[in-house]
Every structure is written in structure tokens, then in C-alpha cells.
Amino acid sequence: MRKLKNTFFILALFSFTKGFAQSSQKFTISGTIKDSASGEQLIGVIVEVKELPGTGEATNKYGFYSLTLPEGAYTLIYDYLGYKTDSLKISLHQNIKHNINLPEAGSTLQEVSIQGEAKADANVTSAQTGMVTLNVKDIAKIPVFFGEKDVLKTVELVPGVVSAGDGNSGFYVRGGAADQNLILLDEATVYNAYHLLGFFSVFNSDALKDVTLYKSGMPVEYGGRLASVEDIRMNDGNDQIYHVSGGIGLISSRLNFEGPIKKGKGSFLITGRRTYADLFLKLSSNSALRNSSLYFYDFNAKANYTLGENDRIYLSGYFGKDVLGADNVFGINWGNATGTFRWNHIFGAKLFSNTSLIFSNYDYNIDLTAAGINLGIQSTIRDWNLKEEFQFYPNSKNKVIFGFSSIYHTIIPGNIVSLDSNVNSTNIQTRYAWENSVFASDELKVSDRIKFVVGLRVTSFSMLGPGTFYTYNSAGNIIDSSKYSSGQFVKTYINPEPRFNATYLLNEFSSVKASYDRNVQNMHLLSNSTSSNPTSLWTPSSNNIQPEISDQFSVGYYRNFLNNKYEFSVETYYKLMQNQIDYKNGAQLVLNENVESELLYGHGRSYGAEFFLKRKYGKLTGWIGYTLSKTELQIPGINNDAWYPATQDITNAIDVVVIYELSEKWSFSATFIYNTGYPVTFPSGKYTVDGNVLYYYTSRNGYRMPDYDRMDVGATYKCKKHKHYQADWCFSIFNVYDRWNAYTITFQQNPNNPQETQAVLTALFGIIPSISYDFKF
């Protein structure tokens, strides 16, 4: 028996050492893939092994790839939509580093596409659910308000995403509120992503390279919001030659300058945009208009430099502001500032790291000078964030991501600065919070048909002193108070956030996918309006406000047709939400030291189905999307504790996008949008007290605004291209059939019949034509 055991041990040891010897005969090829003309690093390029079907890897956000294969001879295929496919024959007997420069495929009509996916069938084969990637070049072809290219307005045209409406900032994703979307610009949080109360986004498309939206199955490196993540990356700048480009439009102009710091090693990018409606006001004969202000501006800058074979640094920033003023009597300005310093380092062939130091600031200022009163109102939210992310490629079957993030929040809810003795200055306590997270995930290719992504994110959120902190009962009355000194921990919440994605390939053209993700949100937006606005108040989780939590389940079917020319998908989801926030009737949110006493808490649920059909190639391209959904809240103290529609409950939404390339010179486009009106609280009756008519309300969100629909059309004419200069004329018509969609509905007595109540609809815009001239040299 003992001899048998020894024999078994020797055989097991031999098998192990043999397996180890075999596994040790593997080597890695890695490198970076760039655009051959500009030097821009390409995101999502597929690197496949011809001899091993199903084996491959996509480049990360910095163009890096790594493949570990058994020793042998292979042919690598580098495939990226819109670029010429490249191949490389290698003899893999040691680790190899090989960088690739891919040339664009050209502008032939057969290669026109709507979305810049890494590969034609990536929607079927990837493990990710609920992800949309937009090509910035194609965004320019889609008609929008006043002819401005706009990434956020384009995002609102995909299933599961609905605009908050004309004149409102924000959008809703799968029943999430406007503040439940994490919007990142080069990893920096943008707290208010809109200009002019929602008509334009703060993102100048000339400065952008990549836009990715996640609606479900959130990757573990993202956190802090319940509904979605929109990851926007700026261009690095051309490291080969200098370029100047820009555009002149009816409402704004923009200018872009880029070029090499040192050819092939570093580059820079500077872009600016400004509206000039205020300049036309100066021409008015009305002195009040001449002294008014109405404009916004954006400024983006980025530089990067290669320090050595394994190190590259980046420095990017954004600054933008809106200025509205009325005859030196009233003025409001708000804006964002972000800054990101990043260091990429390659630890050998299998380990890539990105270290980021990130700054984000949002503030608004209101100035009021009237009736002898001169005062200002100020509010700020500011973040400092240190983030470390590693990507490890142990073999051709696994990709591991792990790291941490640490954010220090400073929130100034609002200060009143008075220059008049009749009004006292007021300072509401500044709040401080520290948010930390660690995360890890493994993308595992089980077989040619099955892929998994399993991950876990753990978040710790701490409210810090100094300050006095109150505890409120359910009626909103103070029952306790505690004073804390600087740096003391007031309250800490720790929450795990598991994430899971799975894909099963039915065949080479179709797949089914499923995902589950838990998300936690500790920064909350308080607003009395239907969506966010410049003066909305951000507040952190505290001893009274608990973190919002969502659990989302998603299942989808994906299918491509006719050699990947057509793409179809249907995805269903169910989302449960905890600690949702609503407000008491008549809640005062702005400049309220005890704003937490105005809040009510409860549960939410959202579920729906999204249908998507897209034509990706040919002269005629575009997509049709339809979303059927339901979003409800149950908040004790509202509507007798029954479930009621949330503001973002949009039952039906239809989006149609069409782009037609008539010739090399002319292209045409059109979009159509329809969605059910959002829930709203209207009076159910009226009564008279001392001759004054008062309205009474029976239920929260018991009515709906009218349905919304609109069609926009556009055309682009490409001028004759010269050796060093090219130009386009862009024409568009916003709301082509002059539909007057409701902005607000108010109620008043009929002047001709005081016993009758009138509903008065206010619309912002009818039909608006525009023209712009874009150039590059």
C-alpha cells in the first residue's frame, strides 16, 4: 500500500512538472496600436490569432494589447472598423514587443458606419451588456440644435436613454434619475454637463476621441452612480504634423490647434469654443438688452509625452462657464473645471498600469442687485481623486483588472455674501467626505462559445468633520445634534458591489447575454425641478441620508445579418433601488441649513425592454430604437405610501437615425424622436379664500405632460479638397415640422370667465434653421 502511494505521488509529481514545463513554454507578444497618420492611440482594436480561432484580445483605453500563446508560428490579424486590416507573421520563441500603426481605410461609401466599434461582430462576441460606443466622426453628421455637434444629444438617441426635455439639463437611463449618471471626461467627474439650461453639452466634439456609455454590467473600475457611466476621452493630439481646424456657426465658433511636441514622442491639443449671442445684444436700441449677458465658452487642453519604452505621461484639462445676466440687476454664472495627470507604465509584457491624479470642480454664483439689495449666492463641489488601475494578462484566456480609488469631496452647499447692511451674510456649513474603493475583475474565456466577467467592487464612504450634525425623526424634527472637529469620522458606510457578465455564442452570428450588477451612490442631487439645473444642490450621504443602492438584472439576445451589415438586439432589464430620495410638499432645498429635514426616503423599481436595429455599411446607414419601460417609487409619506410613477417614467420612446451618403461631396441625415410625456403633478381642483383662487393637489405625479415628438434634418457639403486645406458646409433644420412641444403647463383663470380654469402651455422653440462652415488645414 505504501509502495502504491509512493508510485501515485511520483506520477502526480511527474504530471505536474510536465504540465508546468509545457505551460512554461508560452510567450507573450504585446505592444501599442496607433493611427498611422495622427499617432492617436486606438481603443478597442481586435488582435486575433488566425491559427487559433476565438483567441484574441482588444486594446485598452491607451491602445495597449497583450497576448500569451504557446511557442510556435502564428499570424496575427489587427482588425479595427474604419481602418485597413493588418497582419503580422511571428515566430514566438520569446517575448516580443511589437507596435502597430494602422492606416485609415479611406472614405469610400462602402465603409461608412454609424458607430465606431472595434470589430463588425463585437456586439455579438463581447461579454459586455448594455454598452454603446459612439464614433465622434459620425456624431458630426447627426443634426442637432443650432448645428452644434453634441455627444450627449447623440447618446439620447440610443435605446434606454431619454432626454429630460427641451430646456432641462440631463437625461434618464433605464429609469434612473438625471443625477444617477456618472459623466467622466478623461476620468474626471463632470457634475453639470450642460450649457444654456440643457440645449448644449459642455463637450466640444473637436476635442474628443472616444465616447462609451454603459447601461448595465458596469465594469468594476467605475462606481458612484446607479444608472449609467459615460466615459468620454479627449484626443491626444497629432504627433506627426501641425493642424488647425475649427468652425463658424450662427451661434458659436470653435478653434482647434494640435501638433507634435516632439515628432513621434509627444503631442498637444488646444481647443476653444464660444457663443456670441451677447454680441448681438449690444446692437439693440433697448438699454436693458445692451447691458445683458448671454454666452458660454469651453476650453480644452491636453499634452502627452513618451518618457521611454514603457512610460508615457498625460496632462489634460477642461474649463467652461455659462454667463447669464439681465441689465446688471440679476446675473448667474456656473461652470466646471477638471484636470487629470496620468502615468502609463508597462511592467513587462503582461502587466499594464495607469496611475491618475484627478481634480474636478463645479460652482455657481448668483448676483442680485435690486431694490437696494446687493448680494451674491455661491455654491461649490470639489473633488481630489487618486486612482490606480492595473491590467494583467496572465494567458490568452484571462484578463484581470484590479486597483483602487480614493476621492476627497468638499461640498459648499451655499453662501450668501451681502454688500448691503439690510441683509446679513450667511454661511451654510461646508461638508467634507472621503470615498474609497478597491476593485478586481477577471474576464475569462471558458471556451469558444462561453465568456464570463466576474468582479467585485467594495466602497467605503465617510462623512467627516468639522461641523455640527443633526439627527432628524420621520417628521423632520431635530432629535439630536453632535459636534465634530476637523477630520473626525461622523458616519461610515461600507458596501460591496458584485458585478457579473456572461455571453453564450449560439453561432457565429448570434449570442445571448446576461448580467447582474450592484451600484452604490453616495453623492445625491437635490432639485425641485424635473431635472438638474445650475443651482441644484449636491449633498453627500450622512447620518440621515443613506447610500442609494441598485441591483440590476439584464438579459439580451444579439444577432447580426448579411455579413454583419445589419445588427439587431433586444435586451430586457429589471432594477431594484433602495434609499431613493423624494421631497415633502413645498420643500425648501436651496440655502437651507436643515435641508435633510425636507427629505423622504423609500424604494424604487424599473423594468423594461430595449429593441435596436442598425444598418452599419453602405450608402444608407442608421438605426431604429424602441424602449418600453416602467419606473415607480414607493416613498412613505407620499401618495398614501402607494407606488407612484417617478418623474423619469417614460413609457414609450422611439428614436430613428438615418444617414445617406449621396456622393463623395453630399451627405444627408435625419433624426426622429418620440416619447411619452413624463409624469407631473397638476392641481386636481380649486377653492377660493378671501377672493383668492387656490389650487389643491391630490397625488404626486398623477398626470402627464403631452407626448414629445420632433424631426431634425441635416446636410453636409464637402468642398473641393486642396493639398493643405479642406472645408465643409453644414446645414441643418431643428424641429423641421415646427412642433411646439410643451416646456411647462401652468393654470390660470380665464379672463373672460373667472369660473373657468385655463391650462397654458409654454413651448421654447419651433423650427430653427442653421448653417456652419468647418475647416481644417
Side-chain angles (χ1 to χ4, degrees), residues 556-618:
Y557 171 73
Y558 298 78
R559 171 70 193 238
N560 287 358
F561 302 91
L562 298 179
N563 197 28
N564 295 314
K565 178 180 287 189
Y566 290 90
E567 170 187 325
F568 171 78
S569 67
V570 55
E571 191 168 324
T572 62
Y573 66 90
Y574 189 89
K575 186 191 301 183
L576 294 172
M577 296 172 281
Q578 305 175 41
N579 305 323
Q580 298 300 282
I581 299 174
D582 212 327
Y583 316 110
K584 297 179 179 178
N585 292 329
Q588 172 60 40
L589 303 180
V590 179
L591 296 174
N592 183 353
E593 182 76 36
N594 297 308
V595 67
E596 293 181 2
S597 67
E598 306 279 5
L599 308 182
L600 299 172
Y601 311 95
H603 301 280
R605 63 189 180 195
S606 178
Y607 47 92
E610 299 167 2
F611 300 84
F612 187 51
L613 176 64
K614 179 175 68 173
R615 191 175 196 265
K616 299 191 287 187
Y617 309 115

Coordinates of all heavy atoms in Angstrom, one line a residue, residues 556-618:
G556 N -30.2 39.6 -22.7 CA -30.4 40.1 -24.0 C -30.0 39.1 -25.1 O -29.3 38.1 -24.9
Y557 N -30.6 39.3 -26.3 CA -30.3 38.5 -27.5 C -29.8 39.4 -28.5 O -30.3 40.4 -28.8 CB -31.6 37.8 -28.0 CG -31.5 37.1 -29.3 CD1 -30.8 35.9 -29.4 CD2 -32.0 37.6 -30.5 CE1 -30.6 35.2 -30.6 CE2 -31.9 37.0 -31.7 CZ -31.2 35.8 -31.8 OH -31.0 35.2 -33.0
Y558 N -28.6 39.0 -29.1 CA -27.9 39.8 -30.1 C -27.7 39.0 -31.4 O -27.4 37.8 -31.4 CB -26.5 40.2 -29.6 CG -26.6 41.0 -28.3 CD1 -26.9 40.4 -27.1 CD2 -26.4 42.4 -28.4 CE1 -26.9 41.2 -25.9 CE2 -26.5 43.2 -27.2 CZ -26.8 42.6 -26.0 OH -26.9 43.4 -24.9
R559 N -28.0 39.6 -32.5 CA -28.0 38.9 -33.8 C -27.5 39.8 -34.9 O -27.9 41.0 -35.0 CB -29.3 38.3 -34.1 CG -29.5 37.8 -35.6 CD -28.7 36.5 -35.7 NE -28.6 36.0 -37.1 CZ -29.0 34.9 -37.6 NH1 -29.7 34.0 -36.8 NH2 -28.9 34.6 -38.8
N560 N -26.6 39.4 -35.8 CA -26.1 40.1 -36.9 C -26.6 39.4 -38.2 O -26.7 38.2 -38.2 CB -24.6 40.3 -37.0 CG -24.1 41.3 -35.9 OD1 -24.9 41.9 -35.2 ND2 -22.8 41.5 -35.9
F561 N -26.9 40.2 -39.3 CA -27.3 39.6 -40.5 C -26.5 40.1 -41.7 O -25.8 41.2 -41.6 CB -28.8 40.1 -40.8 CG -29.8 39.7 -39.7 CD1 -30.0 40.6 -38.6 CD2 -30.4 38.5 -39.7 CE1 -30.9 40.3 -37.6 CE2 -31.3 38.2 -38.7 CZ -31.6 39.1 -37.7
L562 N -26.5 39.3 -42.8 CA -25.9 39.7 -44.0 C -24.5 40.2 -43.8 O -24.1 41.3 -44.1 CB -26.7 40.8 -44.7 CG -28.2 40.4 -45.1 CD1 -28.9 41.6 -45.7 CD2 -28.2 39.2 -46.0
N563 N -23.7 39.3 -43.4 CA -22.2 39.5 -43.2 C -22.0 40.7 -42.3 O -21.1 41.6 -42.6 CB -21.5 39.7 -44.5 CG -20.0 39.5 -44.5 OD1 -19.5 38.8 -43.6 ND2 -19.3 40.2 -45.3
N564 N -22.7 40.8 -41.2 CA -22.6 41.9 -40.2 C -23.0 43.3 -40.7 O -22.7 44.3 -40.0 CB -21.1 41.9 -39.6 CG -20.8 40.7 -38.9 OD1 -21.5 40.2 -38.1 ND2 -19.6 40.2 -39.2
K565 N -23.7 43.3 -41.8 CA -24.2 44.6 -42.3 C -25.3 45.2 -41.4 O -25.4 46.4 -41.1 CB -24.7 44.5 -43.7 CG -25.2 45.9 -44.3 CD -25.7 45.8 -45.7 CE -24.5 45.7 -46.6 NZ -25.0 45.8 -48.1
Y566 N -26.1 44.2 -40.9 CA -27.2 44.6 -40.0 C -27.0 44.1 -38.6 O -26.5 42.9 -38.5 CB -28.6 44.1 -40.5 CG -29.0 44.8 -41.8 CD1 -28.7 44.3 -43.1 CD2 -29.8 45.9 -41.7 CE1 -29.1 44.9 -44.2 CE2 -30.3 46.5 -42.9 CZ -29.9 46.0 -44.1 OH -30.3 46.7 -45.3
E567 N -27.4 44.8 -37.6 CA -27.2 44.4 -36.2 C -28.6 44.6 -35.5 O -29.2 45.6 -35.7 CB -26.2 45.3 -35.6 CG -26.1 45.1 -34.1 CD -25.1 46.2 -33.4 OE1 -24.1 46.5 -34.1 OE2 -25.4 46.7 -32.3
F568 N -28.9 43.5 -34.8 CA -30.2 43.5 -34.1 C -30.0 43.1 -32.6 O -29.2 42.2 -32.4 CB -31.3 42.6 -34.7 CG -32.5 42.5 -33.9 CD1 -33.5 43.5 -33.8 CD2 -32.7 41.3 -33.1 CE1 -34.6 43.3 -33.1 CE2 -33.8 41.2 -32.3 CZ -34.8 42.2 -32.3
S569 N -30.7 43.7 -31.7 CA -30.6 43.2 -30.3 C -31.9 43.6 -29.6 O -32.6 44.5 -29.9 CB -29.4 43.9 -29.6 OG -29.6 45.3 -29.4
V570 N -32.2 42.8 -28.6 CA -33.3 43.0 -27.7 C -32.8 42.7 -26.3 O -32.2 41.6 -26.1 CB -34.6 42.3 -28.0 CG1 -34.3 40.8 -28.1 CG2 -35.7 42.6 -27.0
E571 N -32.9 43.7 -25.4 CA -32.3 43.5 -24.1 C -33.4 43.9 -23.1 O -34.0 45.0 -23.2 CB -31.1 44.3 -23.9 CG -30.3 44.0 -22.6 CD -28.9 44.6 -22.6 OE1 -28.3 44.7 -23.6 OE2 -28.5 45.0 -21.5
T572 N -33.7 43.0 -22.1 CA -34.6 43.3 -21.0 C -33.9 43.5 -19.7 O -32.8 43.0 -19.5 CB -35.6 42.2 -20.9 OG1 -34.9 41.0 -20.5 CG2 -36.4 41.9 -22.2
Y573 N -34.5 44.3 -18.8 CA -33.8 44.6 -17.5 C -34.8 44.7 -16.4 O -36.0 45.0 -16.7 CB -32.9 45.8 -17.6 CG -33.7 47.1 -17.9 CD1 -34.2 47.8 -16.8 CD2 -34.0 47.5 -19.1 CE1 -34.9 49.0 -17.0 CE2 -34.8 48.7 -19.4 CZ -35.2 49.4 -18.3 OH -36.0 50.5 -18.5
Y574 N -34.4 44.5 -15.2 CA -35.2 44.7 -14.0 C -34.2 45.3 -13.0 O -33.2 44.7 -12.7 CB -35.8 43.4 -13.5 CG -36.8 43.6 -12.4 CD1 -38.2 43.9 -12.7 CD2 -36.5 43.6 -11.1 CE1 -39.1 44.1 -11.7 CE2 -37.4 43.9 -10.1 CZ -38.7 44.1 -10.4 OH -39.6 44.4 -9.4
K575 N -34.6 46.4 -12.4 CA -33.8 47.1 -11.5 C -34.5 47.4 -10.2 O -35.6 48.0 -10.2 CB -33.3 48.4 -12.1 CG -32.2 49.2 -11.3 CD -32.0 50.6 -11.8 CE -31.5 50.5 -13.3 NZ -31.2 51.9 -13.8
L576 N -33.9 47.0 -9.1 CA -34.5 47.4 -7.7 C -33.6 48.4 -7.1 O -32.3 48.3 -7.2 CB -34.5 46.1 -6.8 CG -35.5 45.0 -7.3 CD1 -35.2 43.8 -6.4 CD2 -36.9 45.5 -7.2
M577 N -34.2 49.5 -6.5 CA -33.4 50.6 -6.0 C -33.8 50.8 -4.5 O -35.0 50.9 -4.2 CB -33.7 51.8 -6.8 CG -33.2 51.7 -8.2 SD -33.7 53.1 -9.3 CE -35.4 52.7 -9.7
Q578 N -32.8 51.0 -3.7 CA -33.0 51.3 -2.3 C -32.6 52.7 -1.9 O -31.8 53.3 -2.6 CB -32.2 50.3 -1.4 CG -32.4 48.9 -1.7 CD -31.4 48.0 -0.9 OE1 -31.1 48.3 0.3 NE2 -30.9 47.0 -1.5
N579 N -33.2 53.2 -0.9 CA -32.9 54.6 -0.3 C -33.1 55.7 -1.3 O -32.2 56.6 -1.5 CB -31.5 54.6 0.3 CG -31.3 53.5 1.3 OD1 -32.1 53.2 2.1 ND2 -30.1 52.9 1.3
Q580 N -34.2 55.6 -2.1 CA -34.4 56.7 -3.1 C -35.0 57.9 -2.4 O -35.6 57.8 -1.3 CB -35.4 56.2 -4.1 CG -34.9 55.0 -4.9 CD -33.7 55.3 -5.7 OE1 -33.7 56.0 -6.7 NE2 -32.5 54.9 -5.2
I581 N -34.7 59.1 -2.9 CA -35.0 60.3 -2.2 C -36.1 61.1 -3.0 O -36.1 61.2 -4.2 CB -33.7 61.2 -2.2 CG1 -32.6 60.5 -1.4 CG2 -34.1 62.6 -1.6 CD1 -31.3 61.3 -1.4
D582 N -37.1 61.5 -2.2 CA -38.1 62.5 -2.7 C -38.3 63.5 -1.7 O -37.6 63.5 -0.6 CB -39.4 61.8 -3.1 CG -40.1 62.5 -4.3 OD1 -40.0 63.7 -4.4 OD2 -40.8 61.8 -5.1
Y583 N -39.2 64.5 -1.9 CA -39.3 65.7 -1.0 C -40.7 65.8 -0.5 O -41.7 65.4 -1.1 CB -38.9 66.9 -1.8 CG -37.7 66.7 -2.7 CD1 -37.7 66.7 -4.1 CD2 -36.4 66.5 -2.1 CE1 -36.6 66.5 -4.8 CE2 -35.3 66.3 -2.9 CZ -35.4 66.3 -4.2 OH -34.3 66.1 -5.0
K584 N -40.7 66.5 0.7 CA -42.0 66.8 1.2 C -42.7 67.9 0.4 O -42.0 68.6 -0.4 CB -41.8 67.4 2.7 CG -41.2 66.4 3.7 CD -41.1 67.0 5.0 CE -40.5 66.1 6.0 NZ -40.3 66.7 7.3
N585 N -44.0 68.0 0.5 CA -44.6 69.1 -0.3 C -44.1 70.5 0.2 O -44.0 70.7 1.4 CB -46.1 69.0 0.0 CG -46.8 67.8 -0.6 OD1 -46.3 67.3 -1.7 ND2 -47.8 67.3 0.0
G586 N -43.8 71.3 -0.8 CA -43.3 72.6 -0.5 C -41.9 72.7 0.1 O -41.5 73.6 0.7
A587 N -41.1 71.6 -0.2 CA -39.7 71.5 0.4 C -38.9 72.7 -0.1 O -38.9 73.1 -1.3 CB -39.1 70.2 0.0
Q588 N -38.1 73.3 0.9 CA -37.1 74.4 0.6 C -35.8 73.7 0.5 O -35.3 73.3 1.6 CB -37.2 75.5 1.6 CG -36.1 76.5 1.5 CD -36.1 77.2 0.2 OE1 -37.2 77.6 -0.4 NE2 -35.0 77.5 -0.4
L589 N -35.1 73.6 -0.6 CA -33.9 72.9 -0.8 C -32.7 73.8 -0.8 O -31.6 73.5 -0.4 CB -33.9 72.1 -2.0 CG -35.1 71.0 -2.1 CD1 -35.0 70.2 -3.4 CD2 -35.0 70.1 -0.9
V590 N -32.8 75.0 -1.4 CA -31.7 75.9 -1.6 C -31.5 76.8 -0.3 O -32.4 77.3 0.2 CB -31.9 76.8 -2.8 CG1 -30.7 77.8 -3.0 CG2 -32.1 75.9 -4.1
L591 N -30.2 76.9 0.1 CA -29.8 77.8 1.2 C -30.6 77.4 2.5 O -31.1 78.2 3.2 CB -30.0 79.2 0.9 CG -29.2 79.8 -0.3 CD1 -29.5 81.2 -0.6 CD2 -27.7 79.7 0.1
N592 N -30.7 76.1 2.7 CA -31.4 75.6 3.9 C -30.5 74.8 4.7 O -30.0 73.8 4.3 CB -32.6 74.7 3.5 CG -33.5 74.3 4.7 OD1 -33.1 74.4 5.8 ND2 -34.6 73.6 4.4
E593 N -30.1 75.3 5.9 CA -29.2 74.7 6.8 C -29.7 73.3 7.2 O -28.9 72.3 7.4 CB -29.0 75.5 8.1 CG -28.0 74.9 9.1 CD -26.5 75.1 8.6 OE1 -26.2 76.2 8.0 OE2 -25.7 74.2 8.8
N594 N -31.0 73.1 7.3 CA -31.6 71.8 7.7 C -32.3 71.2 6.5 O -33.4 70.6 6.6 CB -32.6 72.1 8.8 CG -31.9 72.6 10.0 OD1 -31.0 72.1 10.5 ND2 -32.5 73.7 10.6
V595 N -31.6 71.1 5.3 CA -32.2 70.6 4.1 C -32.6 69.1 4.3 O -33.6 68.6 3.7 CB -31.3 70.8 2.9 CG1 -30.0 70.0 3.0 CG2 -32.0 70.5 1.6
E596 N -31.9 68.4 5.1 CA -32.1 67.0 5.3 C -33.5 66.7 5.9 O -34.1 65.7 5.8 CB -31.0 66.3 6.1 CG -29.7 66.3 5.4 CD -28.6 65.6 6.1 OE1 -28.9 65.1 7.3 OE2 -27.5 65.5 5.7
S597 N -34.0 67.7 6.6 CA -35.4 67.6 7.2 C -36.5 67.6 6.2 O -37.6 67.3 6.5 CB -35.6 68.7 8.3 OG -35.7 70.0 7.6
E598 N -36.1 68.1 5.0 CA -37.1 68.2 3.9 C -37.2 66.9 3.1 O -38.0 66.8 2.1 CB -36.8 69.3 3.0 CG -36.6 70.7 3.7 CD -37.9 71.3 4.0 OE1 -39.0 70.7 3.7 OE2 -37.9 72.5 4.5
L599 N -36.4 65.9 3.4 CA -36.3 64.7 2.5 C -37.1 63.5 3.0 O -37.3 63.3 4.2 CB -34.8 64.3 2.4 CG -33.8 65.4 2.0 CD1 -32.4 64.8 1.9 CD2 -34.2 66.1 0.7
L600 N -37.6 62.7 2.1 CA -38.2 61.5 2.4 C -37.5 60.4 1.6 O -36.9 60.6 0.6 CB -39.7 61.5 1.9 CG -40.6 62.6 2.6 CD1 -41.9 62.7 1.9 CD2 -40.7 62.4 4.1
Y601 N -37.6 59.1 2.2 CA -36.8 58.0 1.6 C -37.7 56.8 1.4 O -38.6 56.6 2.1 CB -35.6 57.7 2.6 CG -34.8 58.9 3.0 CD1 -35.1 59.5 4.3 CD2 -33.8 59.4 2.3 CE1 -34.4 60.6 4.7 CE2 -33.1 60.5 2.7 CZ -33.4 61.1 3.9 OH -32.7 62.2 4.3
G602 N -37.3 56.1 0.4 CA -38.1 54.9 0.1 C -37.4 54.0 -1.0 O -36.2 54.0 -1.1
H603 N -38.3 53.2 -1.7 CA -37.8 52.2 -2.7 C -38.2 52.6 -4.1 O -39.1 53.4 -4.3 CB -38.3 50.9 -2.3 CG -37.9 50.4 -1.0 ND1 -36.7 49.8 -0.7 CD2 -38.7 50.3 0.2 CE1 -36.7 49.5 0.6 NE2 -37.8 49.8 1.1
G604 N -37.5 52.0 -5.1 CA -37.8 52.2 -6.5 C -37.7 50.9 -7.2 O -37.0 50.0 -6.8
R605 N -38.3 50.9 -8.4 CA -38.2 49.7 -9.3 C -38.3 50.2 -10.7 O -39.1 51.1 -11.0 CB -39.2 48.6 -9.0 CG -40.6 49.0 -9.2 CD -41.6 48.0 -8.6 NE -43.0 48.3 -8.8 CZ -44.0 47.7 -8.2 NH1 -43.7 46.7 -7.3 NH2 -45.2 48.1 -8.4
S606 N -37.6 49.6 -11.6 CA -37.6 50.0 -13.0 C -37.4 48.7 -13.8 O -36.6 47.9 -13.5 CB -36.5 51.0 -13.3 OG -36.6 51.3 -14.7
Y607 N -38.2 48.6 -14.9 CA -38.1 47.4 -15.7 C -38.5 47.8 -17.1 O -39.3 48.7 -17.4 CB -38.9 46.2 -15.2 CG -40.3 46.6 -14.8 CD1 -41.4 46.4 -15.7 CD2 -40.6 47.0 -13.5 CE1 -42.7 46.7 -15.4 CE2 -41.9 47.3 -13.2 CZ -42.9 47.2 -14.1 OH -44.2 47.5 -13.7
G608 N -38.0 47.0 -18.1 CA -38.3 47.4 -19.5 C -37.6 46.5 -20.5 O -36.9 45.6 -20.2
A609 N -37.8 46.8 -21.8 CA -37.2 46.1 -22.9 C -36.8 47.1 -23.9 O -37.4 48.1 -24.2 CB -38.2 45.1 -23.5
E610 N -35.6 46.9 -24.5 CA -35.0 47.8 -25.5 C -34.8 47.0 -26.8 O -34.1 45.9 -26.8 CB -33.7 48.3 -25.0 CG -33.8 49.2 -23.7 CD -32.5 49.4 -23.0 OE1 -31.4 49.0 -23.6 OE2 -32.5 50.0 -21.9
F611 N -35.3 47.6 -27.9 CA -35.1 46.9 -29.2 C -34.2 47.9 -30.1 O -34.4 49.1 -30.1 CB -36.5 46.7 -29.9 CG -37.4 45.8 -29.1 CD1 -38.2 46.4 -28.1 CD2 -37.5 44.5 -29.4 CE1 -39.0 45.6 -27.3 CE2 -38.4 43.7 -28.7 CZ -39.1 44.2 -27.6
F612 N -33.3 47.2 -30.8 CA -32.3 48.0 -31.6 C -32.1 47.3 -32.9 O -31.7 46.2 -32.9 CB -31.1 48.2 -30.8 CG -30.0 49.1 -31.3 CD1 -30.4 50.4 -31.7 CD2 -28.7 48.7 -31.5 CE1 -29.4 51.2 -32.2 CE2 -27.7 49.5 -32.0 CZ -28.1 50.8 -32.4
L613 N -32.2 48.1 -34.0 CA -31.9 47.6 -35.3 C -31.0 48.6 -36.0 O -31.4 49.8 -36.1 CB -33.1 47.3 -36.1 CG -32.9 46.8 -37.6 CD1 -32.2 45.5 -37.6 CD2 -34.3 46.7 -38.3
K614 N -29.9 48.2 -36.5 CA -28.9 49.2 -37.1 C -28.4 48.6 -38.4 O -28.1 47.4 -38.6 CB -27.8 49.4 -36.2 CG -26.7 50.4 -36.7 CD -25.7 50.7 -35.7 CE -24.8 49.5 -35.3 NZ -23.7 49.8 -34.4
R615 N -28.3 49.5 -39.4 CA -27.6 49.2 -40.7 C -26.2 49.9 -40.6 O -26.2 51.1 -40.5 CB -28.4 49.6 -41.9 CG -27.8 49.1 -43.2 CD -28.8 49.5 -44.3 NE -28.5 48.7 -45.6 CZ -27.7 49.1 -46.5 NH1 -27.1 50.3 -46.5 NH2 -27.5 48.4 -47.6
K616 N -25.1 49.2 -40.7 CA -23.8 49.7 -40.4 C -23.0 50.1 -41.7 O -22.1 50.9 -41.6 CB -23.0 48.7 -39.6 CG -23.6 48.4 -38.3 CD -22.7 47.6 -37.3 CE -22.5 46.2 -37.8 NZ -21.8 45.4 -36.8
Y617 N -23.3 49.5 -42.8 CA -22.5 49.8 -44.0 C -23.3 50.2 -45.2 O -24.5 49.9 -45.2 CB -21.7 48.5 -44.4 CG -21.0 47.9 -43.3 CD1 -21.3 46.6 -42.9 CD2 -19.9 48.5 -42.7 CE1 -20.6 46.0 -41.8 CE2 -19.2 47.9 -41.7 CZ -19.6 46.6 -41.2 OH -18.9 46.1 -40.2
G618 N -22.7 50.8 -46.2 CA -23.3 51.2 -47.4 C -23.7 52.7 -47.5 O -23.3 53.5 -46.6

